[in-house]
Amino acid sequence: MEVSFHREIETLRLGAGDTFHGEGIMAVTKALLQSGVAYVGGYQGAPVSHLLDVLLQAEDLLGELGIRLETCTNEAAAAAMLAASINYPLRGAVTWKSIVGTNVAADALSNLSSAGVIGGAMIIVGEDYGEGASVIQERTQAYAVKSSVWLLDPRPELPTIVRMVEKGFALSEASSTPVILELRIRACHVFGAFEASDNRRSEHSATNRFAEPAGFDYARLSHPPVTFVQEADKVNRRLPAARAFIRDNRLNETLGPEDGDIGIIVQGGMFNVLNGRLAEAGLSDAYGDIGIPTHVLNVTYPLVPEEIAAFCADKRAVLVVEEGGPDFIEKEIGQILRHAELDTKLHGKDVLPMAGEYSPVVVARGLSAFLSRYGRNEAARLDEWVEAVEAHSQSVARDLTAPLPPRPPTFCTGCPERPVFSAMKLLREETGPVHVAADIGCHAFATFPPFSQGNSILGYGMSLASNAAVSGTQAKRPLSVMGDGGFWHNGLLTGVAGSVFNQDDSVLVIFKNGYTSATGVQDVPSSRPQGEGRGRGLDIESALKSLGVGWVRTVHSYSVSTMRKTLREALGSDETGPKVIIADGECQLARQRRVRPAEARAVAEGRRVVRTRFWVDPDVCTGDHACIRLSGCPSLTVKPSTDPLKPEPVAHVNNDCVGCGLCGEVSHAAQLCPSFARLEIIRNPNGWDRFRARLSSALIRLFGGYAAPSEPDARPAPHPIPAE
Amino acid sequence: MSAGSPITVLISALGGEGGGVLAGWIADAAVAEGLHAQRTSIPGVAQRTGATTYYLEILPHADAGRGPGKPVLALNPAPGRVDVLIGTELLETARMVQTGYATPDRTVLIGVVRRVYTVAEKASMGDGRLDPDRLEAIVERYSKTALLGDLGAIAQAAGSHLNAVLLGALAGSGTLPIPPDRYRDAIRAGAKAVESNLRGFEAGLAFARTGRTGPAPAAETEDAVRPVPEAWSLYPEGALPMIEAGSQRLADYQDDAYVALYADRLKRFAGRPGADAAFLSELARILALRMAFEDTIRVAQLKLTAARLEQVRAEAGARSGEIVDVIEYMKPGPEELFSLLPPALARRALAFLAGRGWDTWSIPMNVTATRFGGFIRLKTLASLRGWRRRTLRYADEQAWIEHWLDLIDRTLAVDPDAAREVVAIGGLVKGYADTHKRGRRNFDRIVARVVEPALAGDLPAPAFADAVLNARLAALKDPEGTALDETIRSLWASLAPDRQAAE
């Protein structure tokens, strides 16, 4: 795992009377423990990967509380896990990234929701919408509405988040319905404090097991004919029960003055952005002391019609601040107003955009339009600010004269996936372009320069399946790329089994880097069992062979020439069915985290260590940068030339180089230029090393060459560079 | 609705730079000082070298308990409302400034004057770098106070991490109501690399208080004026440094006779109308480079220089007592090897290999230049210098040079501006193997489709220079030559259709 939470995990043991300080995700974890969950699980994905990391690293504590922890192979497995709450009074929580994870979980979610639960069931989703999102822009709200699952969208501050977790379980039990708690990225990472309470132990758990299974009860199955009964129960009993609970427990908040002729209804998660702009208008302050009636929906599904109607009753108009489309909430409020025969004017997507993130500027524009329409002069302050922001940006743009180049994420220094794309790029020069189905994972960075390849991305582990019809309609055999994460998540069945079943003429490259690295280096079934990891070392190659893939090759991913040759073979092979290449190379993030401290220790202890890194000879480099176009490694960069005859910057390897060897491989494979050299730095050389070095130096000098000083003195450098 | 506004701090960093730790230190120090502090971040895929931001709001605790209770952190920074912007990289800092996260009325900007080039900048076939002075000017112009410096160098000198130096600079700027000791405590509480982080903090603090930006860049020393050979008196003053540099390069490359050949070639243009200092300087530069073409002999020679060993040890961060080996990656193919033979023989050998389809064969070699075995191989290759004049490669390069000089000569007679551009396209040819072939191909294309037709009068005279310039820039856009093809096509398409048909 990329991030260590060992220090923070101690805060999970806090009890009543203590104040918890920490990140949003940690607060959620603490709230789960305070709610007496019996089981937890999930699948990693930003921004809730950390939740799973924390749970794994807190395994001891979970064990003490008897909590069953499962690292699920995908979100469908996680959702299915909640089935324990259908028959048993067990509270359980699972987590994943939405919307993509919710899509994967949809089948289990529908069936879970239809049967209903007796133990509180909660799904904590990272609502990855807007800024920095790595997925399609859709809302979890749609699933809540269509499957009758309640959706909590708490105000992004720790006490409210914690309260909504705790109340969410009670809501789930009061209405026999699973609930989703959604957290946007900034809420996941917000640091704050709340008053802790004691952790609760579930009555039944991994340590206090049920002696007997639940009795047979057909009504608990989502199977006809009871699904029709369940459908009616959702409407007739569960929904009213939920609304009553929400109302009685005041899960939604009405802030600001009692009276006022206009008001705002806002999703809980959007409250802070709104408050910031209200403060700008002079209608609030840093403490949320709002001067305009505001109804905060910490529960965005279901709405409570009486609450909405009561809030709107004495108002001329309300503004609904609801990020993203479609306008589920605004439409429903419209219906509520109509049913209540209120003529309060409804605004929302008429002044705010239907699509895109509600950033401060966007909210300010909408708020200003709303306020000015009702004669509020605070609008002027917002307009003034927005105009200043726009004028500023334009002024800077003018001074810059050209747009700033983007900086998309790229493969880390030494990443084992980059060489494969170098090989693909080199092969493309021979064969011309081939159709490439890309996938979710770090390897999707190959869609950015300098590789710029990939024709489609259909979902996690879906590349091979997405090439099914392409492979049958292209003269040139298409390529699919997939990570080992995607392979276990979905690709094994959806892709490989399907491709063998249909004898698709496709080539699949599986990146076996050992983890789901893009989400923060979590274990997958094929991860090597080590340390506190959960890997069991499942073998991808035997899995493929057992499915009947006849053509499987495993290639060390840094061997660019061999990879190019193997790709060439795969694209030209007469073998029918899928051809699979396993590109084998461990994630450098994980590897460096292990290797660096070990090396630093060894050097400090005076043991012999050989460090390898690459170097570009500036005198030989011609400044064409073909090496960079084939690599894109962050540590392979440029620096000013010192040669007056060559003004172009020369290629340069900086000290972040981990010596993966790609530079050398590429310069060999592409016959680039002889400016690359590998440096081997022998730390704490032994007597034999020193003897050989001295001998070589003496001989070189004898033949008129230059060599290192023959008697190096052994003083250490004044400041060792820290390993961290 | 009258409570004090929060002090807002935005940190813009690249993945893996410790921006999160920095935000943590600031928040911890603020809380210890009795202030209310909240922070959040967009780490996203930051580890994978993307850009990332951290945002903090700090409020005096005394105000707490107002309104509904706790302060409401805005989570998102608002343009024009940022008090402190900390930027670890110049382009990303400028990007923040453009969005409005620094404004002249309130923002104290603490910025590292450092570039981490984007892929687009690095991958350019020439110089794709943004102008750092422009970025720096913008960062300064649009902030209230800009504390800019090479903080990376300060961190390195202190044996610390950049984030600790930035924390020190923030403390030293006095922008936040937090005394330095609170920050020191926050570092100590972090319990990680405490010693080095404290060193970095003090260095940053000193920087902010004194404005000292680490070791001053060495002033450019004027090269000692060398005695100028008599022949050089033909040339304007401004062209002499480059001619001198070129002569030195060729003396090192071959011998005095070769320098004489260089002088002879240049003399052809001395005193010609339009051949001013700039023209001659550029001609001297590219001519020297092309005459010092990189054959296998030259590469071996370059790998044996003394300066190289020093450079390698410095860059590898090797300490005394450590042994550094340099393992060269070389992969000569038939062209590199057989072009060392006399032309007639070499051509036959290459034709034979091509006939058998063996011309793509090559020998990957890893030569350890720092060991005797590798050294002696390089030394043997380098000693072939005297033989060079008899090789195919030499004959080929000299023929190309004469061809190019001839084109310049002819163009200079009709259009000095265009002649300048014909000089410049000589610079497209460089490097080894594929890069060299691509350069030649682009050069040939531009000559065949632009220069020769223009000299033949097929192109309107005023368009000549621009057409060559545009073609050269297009040739540098993509290695596949797509942009060049497109530029040439549109050049002819813009002329009369009958001309296009004649092409």
Side-chain angles (χ1 to χ4, degrees), chain B residues 186-372:
Chain B
I187 288 176
R188 285 190 195 100
K192 254 190 182 174
V194 173
E195 283 307 306
S196 69
N197 282 333
L198 284 175
R199 274 201 306 274
F201 177 83
E202 300 306 335
L205 194 70
F207 159 74
R209 285 176 176 168
T210 64
R212 187 180 53 83
T213 59
E220 282 193 24
T221 48
E222 286 291 318
D223 276 328
V225 183
R226 290 169 206 281
V228 177
E230 214 171 317
W232 290 165
S233 62
L234 294 168
Y235 301 99
E237 189 93 2
L240 291 182
M242 200 57 89
I243 294 174
E244 182 61 24
S247 307
Q248 270 177 24
R249 177 66 45 91
L250 295 173
D252 175 60
Y253 181 81
Q254 192 68 26
D255 49 29
D256 289 348
Y258 205 47
V259 180
L261 177 61
Y262 176 63
D264 217 38
R265 281 172 168 164
L266 281 176
K267 205 155 63 181
R268 182 172 173 188
F269 299 94
R272 293 272 298 269
D276 56 13
F279 175 92
L280 287 166
S281 182
E282 191 62 0
L283 176 65
R285 183 179 77 78
I286 300 175
L287 178 61
L289 280 180
R290 284 328 306 146
M291 285 180 73
F293 56 90
E294 291 96 346
D295 57 5
T296 315
I297 303 167
R298 176 63 172 168
V299 170
Q301 190 193 359
L302 286 173
K303 287 180 183 295
L304 291 169
T305 57
R308 201 161 180 267
L309 211 60
E310 307 288 313
Q311 220 175 5
V312 162
R313 286 192 71 90
E315 279 207 27
R319 295 166 228 173
S320 49
E322 295 177 347
I323 297 171
V324 179
D325 276 323
V326 183
I327 298 117
E328 309 286 351
Y329 275 61
M330 304 169 89
K331 197 183 184 189
E335 269 184 58
E336 283 78 22
L337 293 177
F338 288 106
S339 62
L340 293 180
L341 296 176
L345 193 57
R347 289 209 178 93
R348 244 176 301 157
L350 287 169
F352 172 78
L353 288 176
R356 303 242 161 165
W358 290 349
D359 51 341
T360 54
W361 148 96
S362 55
I363 329 162
M365 290 196 305
N366 293 344
V367 181
T368 309
T370 42
R371 299 289 164 159
F372 184 66

Side-chain angles (χ1 to χ4, degrees), chain A residues 400-450:
Chain A
L400 280 168
T401 65
L404 297 172
R407 191 189 299 275
T410 177
F411 298 106
C412 303
T413 301
C415 175
E417 304 193 349
R418 184 186 295 105
V420 182
F421 291 102
S422 300
M424 282 167 67
K425 193 165 178 179
L426 285 169
L427 187 67
R428 189 165 59 184
E429 285 169 15
E430 288 173 24
T431 63
V434 295
H435 181 101
V436 176
D439 211 291
I440 307 291
C442 297
H443 40 85
F445 296 152
T447 58
F448 295 124

Side-chain angles (χ1 to χ4, degrees), chain A residues 270-611:
Chain A
M270 296 308 301
F271 175 76
N272 290 24
V273 175
L274 172 69
N275 185 65
R277 292 316 88 202
L278 285 171
E280 185 71 48
L283 284 168
S284 184
D285 63 15
Y287 296 88
D289 190 1
I290 293 185
I292 187 166
T294 301
H295 187 60
V296 183
L297 297 171
N298 291 316
V299 186
T300 55
Y301 186 77
L303 298 183
V304 182
E306 308 92 283
E307 277 184 2
I308 302 284
F311 179 76
C312 297
D314 53 352
K315 295 186 178 59
R316 288 162 66 204
V318 290
L319 170 69
V320 178
V321 181
E322 175 188 13
E323 189 180 46
D327 47 351
F328 295 106
I329 299 174
E330 186 181 336
K331 280 204 183 98
E332 202 180 334
I333 291 174
Q335 197 187 35
I336 291 168
L337 296 178
R338 192 80 194 88
H339 285 168
E341 293 182 7
L342 291 169
D343 60 358
T344 309
K345 185 92 174 78
L346 181 62
H347 297 280
K349 299 294 183 187
D350 56 340
V351 292
L352 286 159
M354 181 68 87
E357 188 178 25
Y358 282 9
S359 66
V361 173
V362 169
V363 170
R365 283 202 194 102
L367 192 57
S368 159
F370 174 68
L371 291 172
S372 61
R373 183 159 184 155
Y374 293 94
R376 300 290 293 255
N377 53 16
E378 291 92 344
R381 291 176 64 168
L382 287 172
D383 292 342
E384 200 182 307
W385 174 71
V386 170
E387 277 160 28
V389 169
E390 283 166 353
H392 169 93
S393 284
Q394 283 160 10
S395 168
V396 177
R398 263 196 309 278
D399 288 354
L400 280 168
T401 65
L404 297 172
R407 191 189 299 275
T410 177
F411 298 106
C412 303
T413 301
C415 175
E417 304 193 349
R418 184 186 295 105
V420 182
F421 291 102
S422 300
M424 282 167 67
K425 193 165 178 179
L426 285 169
L427 187 67
R428 189 165 59 184
E429 285 169 15
E430 288 173 24
T431 63
V434 295
H435 181 101
V436 176
D439 211 291
I440 307 291
C442 297
H443 40 85
F445 296 152
T447 58
F448 295 124
F451 300 112
S452 306
Q453 49 183 294
N455 294 73
S456 62
I457 295 183
L458 255 287
Y460 196 25
M462 302 282 254
S463 58
L464 184 57
S466 71
N467 258 347
V470 176
S471 75
T473 53
Q474 290 262 318
K476 273 187 274 183
R477 210 170 266 174
L479 262 173
S480 309
V481 294
M482 189 187 290
D484 45 6
F487 175 78
W488 293 115
H489 176 274
N490 200 339
L492 173 67
L493 286 180
T494 316
V496 180
S499 187
V500 174
F501 192 29
N502 291 287
Q503 288 294 289
D504 288 341
D505 194 19
S506 224
V507 177
L508 171 66
V509 180
I510 299 175
F511 291 92
K512 188 184 161 196
N513 69 14
Y515 315 87
T516 53
S517 300
T519 56
V521 194
Q522 288 82 13
D523 279 343
V524 292
S526 52
S527 301
R528 281 190 307 164
Q530 62 188 356
E532 59 192 6
R534 295 205 138 201
R536 291 288 176 273
L538 271 63
D539 186 23
I540 293 175
E541 191 164 338
S542 12
L544 291 168
K545 289 196 166 146
S546 71
L547 286 183
V549 181
W551 198 103
V552 183
R553 304 280 185 278
T554 298
V555 181
H556 184 52
S557 57
Y558 295 102
S559 317
V560 175
S561 293
T562 314
M563 183 58 77
R564 178 172 54 175
K565 194 168 127 258
T566 314
L567 280 165
R568 203 187 283 132
E569 274 171 32
L571 289 168
S573 156
D574 293 332
E575 179 94 17
T576 54
K579 272 67 66 180
V580 184
I581 300 169
I582 300 171
D584 191 3
E586 191 188 0
C587 168
Q588 279 288 349
L589 269 184
R591 201 182 111 76
Q592 291 302 319
R593 198 164 306 112
R594 209 176 49 239
V595 169
R596 280 219 171 133
E599 253 184 26
R601 254 197 319 278
V603 170
E605 287 165 11
R607 277 184 281 147
R608 178 182 187 272
V609 172
V610 181
R611 187 170 91 89

Side-chain angles (χ1 to χ4, degrees), chain A residues 2 395 399 617 625 724, chain B residues 47 81 124 141-142 161 308:
Chain A
E2 196 166 339
S395 168
D399 288 354
D617 187 336
H625 314 139
E724 263 304 307
Chain B
Q47 265 290 353
R81 298 292 179 258
S124 158
R141 190 175 316 148
Y142 290 95
H161 280 286
R308 201 161 180 267

